[in-house]
């Protein structure tokens, strides 16, 4: 079965392909000649994941899944959440996003936060949602060089390192996206069309 992952991030694509049974062939947006920018106009992660998956299924006719991720900070009542990529404005910039968040949390004691990933799968006319959450805290300054986005200032519960100090295999086992993708992979592995 061919299944589109609505992404052009080939690392993400390869990682998921390696977790799937060989009967499922993952295609990127480029593979199906989709070069359209789908604006993330919804106000929830699930909404944006649905928007992207539905765009591909409706326009190109493929089974497809799409993801969206946000960082939810307790004391900011869940912000930046769905707006995590654009927290410090557009064009998006991870360094500016981190500096804005560190400034907002300056001297705050409660630094609890969580990453959340929503995945929407359109398969044979049916829609299924998956979610992964990783709880942790926002550090008072950046630690580590690996990863991307908010990784240098996020430390998951039970670990002494930030995401940016972890090897990607270590992060993927406990991360929001890793958990959501594992749920998707389990569903697809058991799926009988
Ligand atoms: P996206 O939905 O994967 O594009 O993620 C939205 C934004 O959340 C990104 O621009 C990043 O800033 C942030 N983000 C998503 N996943 C991670 C992660 O695993 N670590 C750090 N930041 C992330």
């Amino acid at each position: 079965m061919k299944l589109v992952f609505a992404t052009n991030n080939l690392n993400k694509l390869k990682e998921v392909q390696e977790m799937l049974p060989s009967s499922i062939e993952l295609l990127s947006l480029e593979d199906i000649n989709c070069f359209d920018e789908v604006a993330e106009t919804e106000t929830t992660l699930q909404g944006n994941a649905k928007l992207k998956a539905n765009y591909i299924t409706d326009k190109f006719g493929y089974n497809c899944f799409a993801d969206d991720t946000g960082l939810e900070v307790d004391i900011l009542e869940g912000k930046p959440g769905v707006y995590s990529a654009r927290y410090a404005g557009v064009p998006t910039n991870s360094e500016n996003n981190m500096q804005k968040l560190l400034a907002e949390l300056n001297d705050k004691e409660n630094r609890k936060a969580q990453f959340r990933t929503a995945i929407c799968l359109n398969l044979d006319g049916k829609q299924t949602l998956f979610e992964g959450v990783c709880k942790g805290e926002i550090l008072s300054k950046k630690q580590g060089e690996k990863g991307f986005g908010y990784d240098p200032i996020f430390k998951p519960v039970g670990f002494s390192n930030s995401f940016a100090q972890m090897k990607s295999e270590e992060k993927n086992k406990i991360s929001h996206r890793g958990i959501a993708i594992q749920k998707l992979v389990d569903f697809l592995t058991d799926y009988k069309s």
Side-chain angles (χ1 to χ4, degrees):
M1 181 216 320
K2 288 187 194 299
L3 179 64
V4 174
F5 183 2
T7 184
N8 279 318
N9 182 329
L10 295 185
N11 290 322
K12 274 193 194 178
L13 197 84
K14 187 164 170 273
E15 189 188 310
V16 182
Q17 178 70 75
E18 283 169 2
M19 294 165 76
L20 284 171
S22 55
S23 54
I24 299 175
E25 184 193 348
L26 276 195
L27 303 174
S28 70
L29 291 176
E30 198 181 326
D31 289 333
I32 61 164
N33 287 319
C34 172
F35 302 100
D36 309 346
E37 272 290 324
V38 183
E40 299 186 347
T41 51
E42 291 292 331
T43 54
T44 61
L45 298 171
Q46 288 88 346
N48 279 336
K50 274 189 201 182
L51 196 77
K52 290 186 275 185
N54 287 347
Y55 183 86
I56 301 303
T57 301
D58 293 347
K59 184 163 176 192
F60 296 85
Y62 278 100
N63 287 326
C64 172
F65 68 92
D67 68 342
D68 198 25
T69 295
L71 175 62
E72 302 167 347
V73 179
D74 282 15
I75 205 167
L76 301 178
E77 294 168 336
K79 291 195 187 89
V82 70
Y83 306 107
S84 295
R86 308 162 251 171
Y87 190 40
V90 179
T92 60
N93 179 300
S94 292
E95 182 61 34
N96 293 349
N97 287 339
M98 281 191 289
Q99 293 309 330
K100 179 169 175 181
L101 187 54
L102 288 176
E104 296 258 15
L105 296 187
N106 193 22
D107 294 334
K108 296 278 190 306
E109 245 177 59
N110 178 1
R111 305 186 70 93
K112 285 187 191 157
Q114 56 191 352
F115 273 111
R116 186 187 301 276
T117 293
I119 293 179
C120 173
L121 170 71
N122 287 338
L123 185 58
D124 298 339
K126 214 177 142 236
Q127 191 159 73
T128 312
L129 295 170
F130 305 89
E131 194 175 80
V133 172
C134 181
K135 288 183 181 291
E137 65 182 76
I138 304 300
L139 296 166
S140 53
K141 57 180 171 34
K142 295 198 291 175
Q143 284 181 24
E145 305 284 328
K146 299 190 194 32
F148 68 99
Y150 296 88
D151 277 350
I153 59 168
F154 184 84
K155 185 178 81 62
V157 166
F159 290 80
S160 50
N161 285 337
S162 76
F163 266 168
Q165 292 171 306
M166 294 181 171
K167 291 197 179 115
S168 59
E169 310 89 74
E170 193 186 358
K171 178 187 165 190
N172 291 341
K173 271 189 215 150
I174 57 158
S175 82
H176 42 294
R177 193 170 18 262
I179 292 166
I181 283 180
Q182 189 60 58
K183 289 181 186 173
L184 169 80
V185 167
D186 290 347
F187 178 90
L188 288 171
T189 305
D190 293 342
Y191 183 73
K192 309 254 181 304
S193 57

